[in-house]
Amino acid sequence: MVAMYGADTRATPGGTVVETSGLVMCRTPRGTIGTNMAIVTGPIDAERLRADTDRVFRRHGGPFSIWTREHRDTALEDDLRAAGFVQIH
C-alpha cells in the first residue's frame, strides 16, 4: 500500500514523497486530506510526527491526514488527539 501511494504521488505532476524513520509522507500540489498523507510505518512519537508534517505539509498550506496502523498505534493516536489532531475515521 505504501509503495503504491508513493508511486502514484511520484507520477503526479509536482508530487513529492518524503520518507523518514517511521513515516512516509505523500504530497501533491492540489492534494486533499485523502491524497496528501503521512503514513505511519514504524515507531514515531507525536512530537516528531508534528515536526515532520509541519515541514512537508503545513509550510505549503495544504491539507493532509495521518494514517496510523490499527494494530500498533493506539498510544500514538491518543497522543495525537491530545496534541490537537482530529480523528476523521
Side-chain angles (χ1 to χ4, degrees):
M1 180 192 84
V2 175
M4 180 193 69
Y5 284 124
D8 285 349
T9 300
R10 287 182 183 99
T12 301
T16 304
V17 177
V18 177
E19 298 184 45
T20 64
S21 179
L23 196 61
V24 174
M25 294 169 282
C26 301
R27 184 187 68 78
T28 60
R30 292 193 195 162
T32 66
I33 62 168
T35 59
N36 282 353
M37 61 193 79
I39 305 168
V40 176
T41 59
I44 188 168
D45 62 49
E47 184 177 324
R48 201 180 102 234
L49 197 149
R50 179 176 292 282
D52 288 350
T53 56
D54 282 353
R55 182 174 43 86
V56 172
F57 298 107
R58 292 185 198 271
R59 73 181 183 124
H60 295 285
F64 69 96
S65 57
I66 298 170
W67 294 30
T68 56
R69 302 164 299 169
E70 184 175 11
H71 66 289
R72 300 284 297 233
D73 298 321
T74 303
L76 175 61
E77 290 172 358
D78 293 342
D79 292 346
L80 290 171
R81 276 190 292 280
F85 285 88
V86 177
Q87 185 172 357
I88 297 171
H89 173 61

XYZ file of all heavy atoms in Angstrom:
680
model
N 0.818 -1.178 0.000
C 0.000 0.000 0.000
C 0.869 1.252 0.000
O 0.632 2.170 -0.781
C -0.927 -0.002 1.212
C -1.820 1.215 1.267
S -2.659 1.419 2.843
C -1.418 2.255 3.769
N 1.867 1.286 0.862
C 2.745 2.452 0.936
C 3.469 2.648 -0.394
O 3.556 3.767 -0.909
C 3.745 2.313 2.104
C 4.731 3.463 2.119
C 3.007 2.238 3.432
N 3.963 1.569 -0.979
C 4.663 1.664 -2.267
C 3.729 2.160 -3.363
O 4.127 2.968 -4.209
C 5.250 0.309 -2.638
N 2.483 1.699 -3.364
C 1.527 2.114 -4.384
C 1.212 3.611 -4.259
O 1.244 4.335 -5.252
C 0.229 1.315 -4.265
C -0.812 1.711 -5.302
S -2.454 1.066 -4.945
C -2.911 2.012 -3.515
N 0.926 4.092 -3.039
C 0.647 5.519 -2.868
C 1.868 6.360 -3.208
O 1.747 7.444 -3.786
C 0.150 5.817 -1.456
C -1.280 5.407 -1.237
C -1.625 4.538 -0.209
C -2.293 5.872 -2.063
C -2.941 4.147 -0.010
C -3.610 5.490 -1.877
C -3.928 4.630 -0.844
O -5.228 4.243 -0.647
N 3.053 5.869 -2.866
C 4.270 6.585 -3.232
C 4.434 6.687 -4.738
O 4.765 7.744 -5.271
N 4.202 5.582 -5.439
C 4.318 5.587 -6.900
C 3.287 6.519 -7.527
O 3.606 7.269 -8.466
C 4.156 4.167 -7.446
N 2.054 6.496 -7.035
C 1.019 7.399 -7.555
C 1.412 8.852 -7.341
O 1.236 9.701 -8.221
C -0.328 7.132 -6.873
C -0.998 5.864 -7.365
O -0.547 5.286 -8.374
O -1.980 5.440 -6.715
N 1.936 9.157 -6.171
C 2.330 10.534 -5.854
C 3.480 10.982 -6.745
O 3.470 12.090 -7.280
C 2.711 10.649 -4.368
O 1.585 10.287 -3.569
C 3.149 12.056 -4.008
N 4.474 10.123 -6.927
C 5.614 10.466 -7.792
C 5.178 10.673 -9.247
O 5.797 11.455 -9.973
C 6.680 9.384 -7.708
C 7.442 9.383 -6.403
C 8.529 8.307 -6.372
N 9.199 8.291 -5.093
C 8.922 7.436 -4.107
N 7.985 6.513 -4.261
N 9.577 7.498 -2.974
N 4.123 9.983 -9.673
C 3.622 10.112 -11.045
C 2.751 11.353 -11.238
O 2.436 11.716 -12.365
C 2.833 8.862 -11.430
N 2.378 12.001 -10.160
C 1.548 13.207 -10.222
C 2.461 14.417 -10.399
O 3.434 14.562 -9.660
C 0.730 13.363 -8.923
O -0.092 12.201 -8.756
C -0.130 14.608 -8.952
N 2.165 15.301 -11.375
C 3.000 16.496 -11.551
C 3.120 17.282 -10.242
O 2.119 17.605 -9.601
C 2.250 17.303 -12.616
C 1.512 16.257 -13.408
C 1.094 15.230 -12.377
N 4.348 17.522 -9.821
C 4.604 18.251 -8.581
C 4.535 17.391 -7.330
O 4.712 17.896 -6.229
N 4.278 16.099 -7.494
C 4.163 15.209 -6.343
C 5.507 14.979 -5.668
O 6.539 14.897 -6.321
N 5.457 14.869 -4.359
C 6.665 14.673 -3.559
C 6.416 13.574 -2.545
O 5.372 13.550 -1.885
C 7.016 15.969 -2.792
O 7.159 17.040 -3.708
C 8.286 15.812 -1.987
N 7.391 12.690 -2.394
C 7.348 11.660 -1.358
C 8.565 11.868 -0.466
O 9.692 11.950 -0.946
C 7.372 10.239 -1.950
C 7.390 9.189 -0.850
C 6.172 10.029 -2.872
N 8.312 11.995 0.834
C 9.385 12.176 1.808
C 9.308 11.014 2.788
O 8.260 10.796 3.412
C 9.246 13.519 2.563
C 10.335 13.659 3.613
C 9.269 14.684 1.589
N 10.407 10.279 2.910
C 10.459 9.142 3.829
C 11.410 9.456 4.975
O 12.531 9.887 4.746
C 10.928 7.892 3.088
C 9.967 7.489 1.980
C 10.370 6.201 1.287
O 10.734 5.233 1.998
O 10.311 6.171 0.055
N 10.919 9.267 6.184
C 11.740 9.397 7.377
C 11.584 8.109 8.171
O 10.769 7.257 7.814
C 11.312 10.606 8.237
O 9.985 10.388 8.723
C 11.353 11.899 7.440
N 12.328 7.978 9.215
C 12.208 6.793 10.048
C 10.809 6.748 10.659
O 10.418 7.644 11.406
C 13.263 6.826 11.156
O 13.132 5.701 11.981
N 10.031 5.735 10.291
C 8.695 5.566 10.840
C 7.584 6.297 10.121
O 6.433 6.244 10.550
N 7.889 6.985 9.012
C 6.866 7.801 8.367
C 7.167 7.955 6.877
O 8.300 8.181 6.488
C 6.854 9.187 9.022
C 5.670 10.099 8.794
C 4.374 9.477 9.310
C 5.910 11.439 9.489
N 6.114 7.823 6.051
C 6.208 8.122 4.620
C 5.143 9.172 4.334
O 3.957 8.970 4.628
C 5.978 6.862 3.751
C 5.934 7.221 2.276
C 7.053 5.823 4.024
N 5.573 10.302 3.770
C 4.648 11.404 3.504
C 4.532 11.618 2.005
O 5.540 11.753 1.307
C 5.137 12.671 4.199
C 5.094 12.549 5.713
S 5.943 13.873 6.593
C 7.652 13.352 6.404
N 3.300 11.631 1.512
C 2.993 11.825 0.097
C 2.220 13.129 -0.039
O 1.184 13.305 0.601
C 2.149 10.663 -0.419
S 2.919 9.046 -0.257
N 2.745 14.049 -0.874
C 2.102 15.357 -1.034
C 2.048 15.730 -2.501
O 3.014 15.543 -3.241
C 2.883 16.433 -0.275
C 2.222 17.806 -0.328
C 3.091 18.882 0.277
N 4.277 19.144 -0.517
C 4.307 19.861 -1.643
N 3.192 20.372 -2.135
N 5.434 20.055 -2.291
N 0.901 16.244 -2.925
C 0.751 16.799 -4.262
C 0.226 18.224 -4.137
O -0.435 18.565 -3.152
C -0.212 15.957 -5.132
O -1.496 15.933 -4.508
C 0.311 14.545 -5.321
N 0.510 19.082 -5.116
C 0.119 20.486 -5.009
C -1.377 20.720 -4.806
O -1.774 21.634 -4.091
C 0.582 21.091 -6.336
C 1.695 20.214 -6.773
C 1.313 18.837 -6.317
N -2.215 19.902 -5.403
C -3.666 20.073 -5.254
C -4.279 18.984 -4.391
O -5.476 18.719 -4.475
C -4.333 20.052 -6.623
C -3.989 21.237 -7.462
C -4.941 21.271 -8.614
N -4.454 22.159 -9.648
C -4.873 22.142 -10.879
N -5.767 21.258 -11.244
N -4.404 22.994 -11.752
N -3.485 18.372 -3.559
C -3.946 17.241 -2.760
C -5.020 17.607 -1.747
O -5.206 18.769 -1.387
N -5.716 16.590 -1.316
C -6.765 16.719 -0.314
C -6.330 15.934 0.929
O -5.271 15.310 0.934
C -8.083 16.115 -0.834
O -7.898 14.691 -0.984
C -8.491 16.732 -2.157
N -7.181 15.897 1.949
C -6.811 15.105 3.127
C -6.759 13.624 2.795
O -6.117 12.858 3.500
C -7.740 15.347 4.338
C -9.177 14.952 4.032
C -7.635 16.775 4.815
C -10.068 14.904 5.239
N -7.379 13.222 1.702
C -7.335 11.819 1.298
C -6.123 11.458 0.461
O -5.691 10.317 0.447
N -5.547 12.445 -0.226
C -4.417 12.151 -1.099
C -3.088 12.684 -0.574
O -2.042 12.207 -0.992
C -4.652 12.707 -2.516
O -4.836 14.125 -2.442
C -5.855 12.058 -3.159
N -3.119 13.666 0.293
C -1.910 14.122 0.982
C -1.889 13.389 2.309
O -2.730 13.635 3.173
C -1.929 15.625 1.225
C -1.583 16.426 -0.008
O -1.204 15.878 -1.028
N -1.720 17.735 0.086
N -0.936 12.484 2.460
C -0.980 11.606 3.625
C 0.384 11.405 4.239
O 1.399 11.390 3.546
C -1.569 10.257 3.234
C -0.749 9.539 2.179
S -1.578 8.131 1.425
C -2.651 8.956 0.278
N 0.360 11.267 5.560
C 1.531 10.853 6.322
C 1.195 9.460 6.841
O 0.303 9.302 7.671
C 1.797 11.823 7.470
N 1.887 8.460 6.330
C 1.589 7.072 6.666
C 2.608 6.588 7.692
O 3.809 6.560 7.420
C 1.648 6.177 5.411
C 0.733 6.715 4.317
C 1.307 4.733 5.765
C 0.942 6.067 2.957
N 2.120 6.221 8.867
C 2.995 5.704 9.915
C 3.421 4.292 9.519
O 2.586 3.435 9.241
C 2.284 5.706 11.287
C 3.175 5.081 12.346
C 1.888 7.123 11.676
N 4.743 4.076 9.488
C 5.277 2.777 9.091
C 6.123 2.131 10.177
O 6.570 1.000 10.021
C 6.132 2.907 7.811
O 7.200 3.824 8.069
C 5.292 3.372 6.636
N 6.363 2.854 11.258
C 7.191 2.336 12.347
C 7.086 3.235 13.559
O 6.279 4.169 13.583
N 7.901 2.980 14.560
C 7.831 3.782 15.792
C 8.099 5.264 15.516
O 9.048 5.618 14.822
C 8.944 3.191 16.659
C 9.211 1.836 16.112
C 8.913 1.923 14.640
N 7.224 6.104 16.039
C 7.366 7.561 15.928
C 6.529 8.175 17.038
O 5.483 7.627 17.405
C 6.931 8.068 14.528
C 7.264 9.552 14.351
C 5.469 7.787 14.263
C 7.131 10.047 12.921
N 6.966 9.294 17.589
C 6.160 9.953 18.615
C 5.435 11.152 18.009
O 5.765 11.621 16.920
C 7.013 10.348 19.821
C 8.115 11.338 19.490
O 7.835 12.363 18.830
O 9.266 11.093 19.892
N 4.431 11.631 18.729
C 3.579 12.704 18.219
C 4.368 13.986 17.961
O 4.093 14.701 16.993
C 2.433 12.965 19.192
N 5.350 14.267 18.789
C 6.136 15.493 18.620
C 6.930 15.469 17.308
O 6.927 16.445 16.550
C 7.089 15.657 19.802
C 7.877 16.947 19.774
C 8.755 17.109 21.006
O 8.329 16.698 22.106
O 9.869 17.652 20.841
N 7.586 14.366 17.042
C 8.341 14.269 15.786
C 7.412 14.210 14.583
O 7.686 14.788 13.531
C 9.283 13.073 15.779
C 10.374 13.328 14.718
C 11.380 12.255 14.570
N 10.991 11.514 13.373
C 10.796 10.210 13.312
N 10.967 9.468 14.356
N 10.422 9.642 12.203
N 6.277 13.532 14.738
C 5.310 13.470 13.655
C 4.821 14.870 13.301
O 4.738 15.230 12.125
C 4.150 12.559 14.049
C 3.290 12.085 12.880
C 2.736 10.709 13.169
C 2.194 13.044 12.610
N 4.537 15.682 14.305
C 4.100 17.053 14.044
C 5.204 17.843 13.349
O 4.942 18.570 12.381
C 3.677 17.782 15.307
C 3.256 19.239 14.989
C 2.742 20.005 16.168
N 1.484 19.546 16.691
C 0.292 19.804 16.163
N 0.194 20.473 15.034
N -0.805 19.370 16.734
N 6.432 17.732 13.796
C 7.536 18.471 13.174
C 7.705 18.063 11.707
O 7.876 18.922 10.827
C 8.829 18.234 13.951
N 7.640 16.766 11.445
C 7.786 16.289 10.066
C 6.635 16.753 9.185
O 6.839 17.195 8.056
C 7.893 14.765 10.020
C 9.234 14.241 10.532
O 10.163 15.053 10.745
O 9.344 13.023 10.731
N 5.399 16.655 9.677
C 4.254 17.072 8.858
C 4.212 18.588 8.694
O 3.798 19.076 7.648
C 2.914 16.548 9.423
O 2.749 16.974 10.780
C 2.843 15.024 9.330
N 4.674 19.331 9.700
C 4.776 20.789 9.535
C 5.722 21.117 8.381
O 5.417 21.955 7.540
C 5.298 21.459 10.806
C 4.239 21.618 11.889
O 3.054 21.325 11.624
O 4.611 22.028 13.007
N 6.846 20.435 8.339
C 7.864 20.696 7.315
C 7.369 20.324 5.917
O 7.611 21.045 4.953
C 9.125 19.902 7.660
C 10.273 20.104 6.708
C 11.545 19.403 7.206
N 11.333 18.068 7.742
C 11.294 16.944 7.012
N 11.441 17.014 5.706
N 11.119 15.778 7.585
N 6.648 19.222 5.793
C 6.251 18.728 4.473
C 4.912 19.289 4.013
O 4.745 19.622 2.841
C 6.231 17.183 4.460
C 5.639 16.635 3.177
C 7.638 16.639 4.684
N 3.948 19.416 4.923
C 2.596 19.815 4.522
C 2.235 21.243 4.911
O 1.791 22.018 4.075
C 1.549 18.869 5.124
C 1.682 17.451 4.676
C 2.167 16.479 5.542
C 1.330 17.062 3.394
C 2.290 15.162 5.145
C 1.462 15.749 2.977
C 1.941 14.797 3.856
N 2.364 21.573 6.162
C 1.853 22.867 6.645
C 2.544 24.059 5.999
O 1.912 25.073 5.753
C 1.940 22.953 8.154
C 0.990 22.005 8.850
C 1.022 22.214 10.360
N 0.470 21.100 11.074
C -0.809 20.959 11.395
N -1.671 21.877 11.041
N -1.220 19.903 12.065
N 3.820 23.951 5.719
C 4.514 25.098 5.111
C 4.003 25.384 3.707
O 4.185 26.478 3.179
C 6.014 24.912 5.130
C 6.542 23.906 4.153
C 8.063 23.796 4.287
N 8.560 22.875 3.301
C 9.485 23.179 2.418
N 10.037 24.371 2.421
N 9.886 22.295 1.541
N 3.347 24.402 3.084
C 2.745 24.595 1.756
C 1.273 24.975 1.867
O 0.638 25.239 0.851
C 2.874 23.319 0.924
C 4.296 22.967 0.622
N 5.045 23.642 -0.309
C 5.113 22.025 1.143
C 6.263 23.133 -0.355
N 6.329 22.147 0.514
N 0.718 24.929 3.066
C -0.669 25.314 3.275
C -1.689 24.294 2.825
O -2.876 24.592 2.772
N -1.249 23.097 2.500
C -2.178 22.082 2.012
C -2.721 21.194 3.116
O -2.103 21.028 4.159
N -3.880 20.619 2.879
C -4.466 19.694 3.846
C -3.731 18.350 3.802
O -3.071 18.029 2.809
C -5.904 19.535 3.357
C -5.804 19.737 1.877
C -4.710 20.759 1.690
N -3.845 17.585 4.869
C -3.248 16.255 4.908
C -3.920 15.436 5.997
O -4.619 15.971 6.855
C -1.732 16.329 5.155
C -1.356 16.805 6.532
C -1.067 15.890 7.542
C -1.301 18.147 6.820
C -0.719 16.317 8.810
C -0.957 18.590 8.088
C -0.663 17.678 9.080
N -3.678 14.141 5.952
C -4.158 13.249 7.005
C -3.005 12.359 7.440
O -2.031 12.182 6.725
C -5.324 12.386 6.506
O -4.941 11.649 5.355
N -3.145 11.825 8.640
C -2.159 10.891 9.173
C -2.812 9.520 9.205
O -3.898 9.358 9.758
C -1.708 11.314 10.586
C -1.045 12.679 10.515
C -0.769 10.254 11.175
C -0.769 13.296 11.858
N -2.146 8.567 8.609
C -2.658 7.198 8.558
C -1.888 6.374 9.582
O -0.672 6.221 9.481
C -2.474 6.615 7.168
C -3.288 7.289 6.101
C -3.682 8.603 6.062
C -3.786 6.689 4.924
N -4.394 8.846 4.921
C -4.474 7.681 4.195
C -3.703 5.406 4.399
C -5.085 7.433 2.985
C -4.317 5.165 3.179
C -4.999 6.163 2.493
N -2.598 5.867 10.558
C -1.982 5.034 11.587
C -2.345 3.577 11.354
O -3.217 3.261 10.545
C -2.437 5.469 12.988
O -3.863 5.420 13.046
C -1.963 6.881 13.317
N -1.675 2.714 12.089
C -1.917 1.278 11.981
C -2.756 0.838 13.180
O -2.319 0.968 14.324
C -0.581 0.530 11.967
C 0.322 0.997 10.823
C 1.746 0.582 11.017
N 2.275 1.181 12.248
C 3.432 0.845 12.806
N 4.193 -0.074 12.261
N 3.836 1.428 13.908
N -3.936 0.341 12.919
C -4.880 -0.018 13.973
C -4.271 -0.981 14.989
O -4.524 -0.864 16.183
C -6.141 -0.627 13.357
C -7.218 -0.932 14.361
C -8.499 -1.419 13.709
O -8.500 -1.722 12.498
O -9.500 -1.501 14.426
N -3.465 -1.898 14.528
C -2.920 -2.931 15.400
C -1.686 -2.478 16.185
O -1.229 -3.186 17.073
C -2.558 -4.177 14.584
C -1.438 -3.962 13.618
N -1.582 -3.188 12.476
C -0.158 -4.380 13.636
C -0.425 -3.174 11.829
N 0.452 -3.890 12.514
N -1.128 -1.271 15.892
C 0.121 -0.859 16.536
C 0.127 0.542 17.133
O 0.989 0.831 17.957
C 1.269 -0.894 15.515
C 1.577 -2.190 14.860
C 2.308 -3.121 15.768
N 3.600 -2.615 16.162
C 4.721 -3.277 16.024
N 4.722 -4.456 15.469
N 5.844 -2.768 16.458
N -0.755 1.417 16.713
C -0.587 2.840 17.015
C -1.637 3.456 17.924
O -1.863 4.664 17.886
C -0.523 3.627 15.693
C 0.648 3.220 14.833
O 1.732 2.972 15.392
O 0.484 3.134 13.603
N -2.242 2.662 18.792
C -3.277 3.182 19.695
C -2.731 4.295 20.587
O -3.360 5.346 20.731
C -3.867 2.049 20.562
O -4.369 1.043 19.684
C -4.989 2.543 21.441
N -1.567 4.087 21.169
C -0.978 5.114 22.043
C -0.648 6.377 21.248
O -0.881 7.500 21.726
C 0.264 4.574 22.735
N -0.122 6.213 20.034
C 0.169 7.364 19.187
C -1.103 8.118 18.857
O -1.129 9.354 18.892
C 0.869 6.910 17.899
C 1.123 8.000 16.852
C 2.026 9.106 17.407
C 1.715 7.392 15.586
N -2.175 7.415 18.545
C -3.450 8.070 18.250
C -3.915 8.902 19.438
O -4.379 10.034 19.266
C -4.499 7.035 17.875
C -4.236 6.392 16.525
C -5.172 5.235 16.226
O -6.010 4.885 17.082
O -5.055 4.665 15.124
N -3.788 8.372 20.640
C -4.155 9.131 21.856
C -3.294 10.386 21.979
O -3.799 11.476 22.279
C -4.003 8.260 23.097
C -4.996 7.108 23.157
O -6.025 7.152 22.438
O -4.730 6.154 23.928
N -1.994 10.249 21.757
C -1.078 11.393 21.837
C -1.389 12.437 20.762
O -1.297 13.640 21.020
C 0.376 10.933 21.693
C 0.853 10.103 22.879
O 0.179 10.094 23.936
O 1.905 9.438 22.733
N -1.760 11.986 19.573
C -2.104 12.925 18.504
C -3.368 13.712 18.843
O -3.428 14.922 18.627
C -2.263 12.188 17.172
C -0.974 11.642 16.565
C -1.289 10.739 15.367
C -0.032 12.760 16.164
N -4.371 13.039 19.381
C -5.590 13.741 19.803
C -5.248 14.778 20.881
O -5.738 15.906 20.848
C -6.649 12.756 20.298
C -7.471 12.153 19.180
C -8.673 11.382 19.696
N -8.301 10.159 20.413
C -7.964 9.015 19.850
N -7.958 8.909 18.542
N -7.663 7.963 20.577
N -4.412 14.391 21.835
C -4.007 15.322 22.897
C -3.233 16.514 22.336
O -3.263 17.605 22.896
C -3.175 14.583 23.939
N -2.550 16.307 21.196
C -1.778 17.373 20.565
C -2.625 18.239 19.624
O -2.109 19.130 18.969
C -0.611 16.765 19.788
N -3.929 17.949 19.532
C -4.822 18.771 18.729
C -5.221 18.215 17.385
O -5.969 18.851 16.654
N -4.726 17.040 17.038
C -5.159 16.412 15.798
C -6.581 15.873 15.978
O -6.972 15.484 17.080
C -4.223 15.265 15.398
C -2.904 15.726 14.846
C -1.836 15.981 15.691
C -2.735 15.931 13.478
C -0.620 16.408 15.190
C -1.527 16.364 12.977
C -0.463 16.612 13.829
N -7.352 15.849 14.909
C -8.738 15.408 14.944
C -8.856 14.067 14.235
O -8.405 13.923 13.103
C -9.659 16.442 14.254
C -11.095 15.953 14.218
C -9.544 17.782 14.947
N -9.473 13.115 14.901
C -9.678 11.808 14.271
C -10.809 11.915 13.260
O -11.899 12.383 13.566
C -10.005 10.743 15.311
C -10.112 9.357 14.703
C -10.234 8.273 15.755
O -10.195 8.526 16.946
N -10.405 7.054 15.300
N -10.543 11.466 12.036
C -11.536 11.519 10.962
C -12.244 10.197 10.813
O -13.439 10.131 10.664
C -10.855 11.922 9.630
C -10.274 13.307 9.740
C -11.851 11.846 8.487
C -9.403 13.698 8.582
N -11.482 9.131 10.859
C -12.070 7.811 10.620
C -11.457 6.805 11.542
O -10.311 6.826 11.816
C -11.836 7.412 9.158
C -12.246 6.013 8.823
N -13.525 5.568 8.945
C -11.514 4.970 8.362
C -13.575 4.304 8.570
N -12.374 3.916 8.218
